[in-house]
Amino acid sequence: MFQFAEPYYFLLLLPAALALWFAYARRVKVATVFAPTNRLPASSGSWRKTMRHIFPALYLLGVVPAIVALARPQTVLEKTAVSANAIAIQMVTDVSGSMQALDFSASDKAVTRLDVVKDTFARFIERRPDDLVGLVIFGGYATSVVPLTIDHGALLHSLKGVETPRLRLDKDGNVANQEEQMTAIGDALATAAARLEKTEIKSKVIVLLSDGESNAGIIKPEEAIKAAKALGIKVYTIGVGSNGRAPFLAQDMFGRKTVQYAEVRIDETLLRRIAEDTKGLYFNVRDPKGLARALNEIDKLEKTAVSKERFNQYREWYPPLLAGSLVMLALAAFFNMMMFKEII
């Protein structure tokens, strides 16, 4: 960014312009009373007379760069040092088959629970630019998709690609990946806690979202809760939906898309206990607005203390202007002395 640090010096151009006007407007008339001027030879121009008219302009050309130099033209190279008492946050989201339910759809658009969660999680992450954020997903087993990072662009890109596992059928028509459709809350919580264990940041938070019952995994939820408590990790849990029938997008025997209903169950008791035992909070959300409110509440509760100090580095452009001004004034004074025995 280019600027003048002290632009008020440009006011000096006014007296400089006034001096130039005075130099050229000055007319000294010398005459001899009743002199027969018709006998004098006709006046003719000379190079000395021409130079006498040019020198005031040369002085002004020497003064103007000096005034510009006093105004200190500079390019600002700005650097901001950020000192933040950051928070390490693990976002943990359920991607089991029940996250394909359409009960969060708007009236004009059919979207799954996972679509809404991804969009709301993305807005939550964007509001926390100074925090380390990681992403864990889980169905029948947990996967650490993105480790704790400050590169939220890469995190959001990975979040955008998260999908629920598609059903794969064997030759007999049975579901071949049944485990991927299940819910391993204990594994998910333990995986997120393990990723937070190695960070040096003191404030550690897990935001765990699920819409089902813990029915898979190696690690029991009780063991994962003990691990989180031992590491001083606060867990906020979000239960999506409620027990009952939920709509799902399916295909009929002719390959046409249709909406079918299936029973879904959410273990609110477990999610509430995880939050209470780790000094967090539990939220039950049944629509996109409720999910947004829950994450907004977490955002308010877990504020990051940030202090910023701004340092500006400048590239100064006045030295060549000042040097050029001095050279021009010196040359003008030198030739004026040589020709007319005058400094000005």
Side-chain angles (χ1 to χ4, degrees):
M1 182 178 66
F2 182 82
Q3 69 175 25
F4 289 95
E6 300 174 9
Y8 48 84
Y9 276 106
F10 281 118
L11 294 175
L12 293 176
L13 291 173
L14 297 177
L18 183 62
L20 183 66
W21 175 84
F22 181 75
Y24 282 105
R26 183 176 56 189
R27 296 291 182 269
V28 179
K29 296 181 180 180
V30 179
T32 302
V33 180
F34 304 118
T37 56
N38 60 325
R39 297 181 181 182
L40 296 175
S43 177
S44 62
S46 66
W47 66 272
R48 285 179 175 271
K49 185 176 181 180
T50 302
M51 291 302 296
R52 183 173 288 278
H53 284 281
I54 291 176
F55 274 122
L58 291 179
Y59 278 112
L60 181 64
L61 290 177
V63 169
V64 169
I67 294 174
V68 176
L70 287 172
R72 288 184 58 196
Q74 57 189 205
T75 301
V76 182
L77 306 175
E78 184 178 282
K79 290 185 178 180
T80 301
V82 179
S83 175
N85 184 16
I87 298 175
I89 303 175
Q90 276 288 352
M91 308 297 291
V92 184
T93 183
D94 192 339
V95 293
S96 61
S98 56
M99 290 294 287
Q100 292 180 335
L102 302 175
D103 52 349
F104 276 27
S105 298
S107 58
D108 59 340
K109 185 178 181 182
V111 293
T112 66
R113 290 177 176 179
L114 183 59
D115 291 332
V116 175
V117 168
K118 287 162 55 176
D119 182 65
T120 312
F121 268 17
R123 293 199 299 269
F124 176 81
I125 293 168
E126 289 171 350
R127 293 197 298 267
R128 310 193 68 89
D130 301 302
D131 292 327
L132 287 172
V133 186
L135 177 64
V136 173
I137 62 174
F138 68 99
Y141 52 86
T143 302
S144 180
V145 179
V146 181
L148 290 170
T149 180
I150 197 69
D151 186 356
H152 293 177
L155 174 63
L156 292 172
H157 179 74
S158 298
L159 176 63
K160 189 176 181 180
V162 170
E163 297 292 344
T164 56
R166 294 183 179 180
L167 286 175
R168 296 197 304 271
L169 303 179
D170 58 21
K171 60 182 180 180
D172 298 324
N174 299 318
V175 178
N177 61 337
Q178 180 65 38
E179 185 181 4
E180 293 181 0
Q181 308 300 317
M182 303 176 75
T183 306
I185 293 178
D187 285 6
L189 181 57
T191 300
R195 295 297 178 268
L196 289 170
E197 179 182 7
K198 298 179 181 179
T199 182
E200 296 180 356
I201 295 178
K202 294 181 179 180
S203 298
K204 303 173 184 180
V205 173
I206 293 175
V207 180
L208 188 151
L209 182 146
S210 178
D211 70 340
E213 296 178 301
S214 184
N215 52 16
I218 300 173
I219 302 174
K220 294 182 179 180
E222 292 75 15
E223 296 174 353
I225 293 172
K226 290 180 182 179
K229 287 178 63 177
L231 295 172
I233 300 172
K234 187 185 297 184
V235 184
Y236 293 95
T237 56
I238 301 175
V240 178
S242 59
N243 296 325
R245 288 163 55 84
F248 290 83
L249 190 64
Q251 288 184 343
D252 61 15
M253 58 184 300
F254 301 105
R256 295 174 300 188
K257 290 184 178 180
T258 181
V259 176
Q260 299 180 0
Y261 285 82
E263 289 289 331
V264 293
R265 298 191 63 81
I266 178 173
D267 193 344
E268 288 194 84
T269 302
L270 174 60
L271 295 177
R272 187 176 285 107
R273 180 152 54 88
I274 293 172
E276 290 176 354
D277 289 355
T278 58
K279 299 181 180 179
L281 290 175
Y282 168 70
F283 302 90
N284 177 246
V285 299
R286 303 189 181 189
D287 54 43
K289 291 183 179 180
L291 180 57
R293 285 194 296 269
L295 288 174
N296 287 339
E297 186 66 22
I298 296 173
D299 185 45
K300 293 177 183 178
L301 292 171
E302 297 296 334
K303 282 296 182 183
T304 301
V306 180
S307 59
K308 294 185 178 182
E309 293 183 32
R310 177 164 292 175
F311 299 91
N312 291 332
Q313 291 184 342
Y314 303 98
R315 179 177 294 170
E316 300 283 357
W317 298 105
Y318 72 85
L321 288 170
L322 190 58
S325 173
L326 293 175
V327 169
M328 292 179 67
L329 289 173
L331 289 175
F334 173 76
F335 286 114
N336 205 26
M337 282 285 295
M338 294 294 293
M339 294 179 184
F340 305 110
K341 307 303 179 182
E342 298 176 353
I343 296 178
I344 299 178

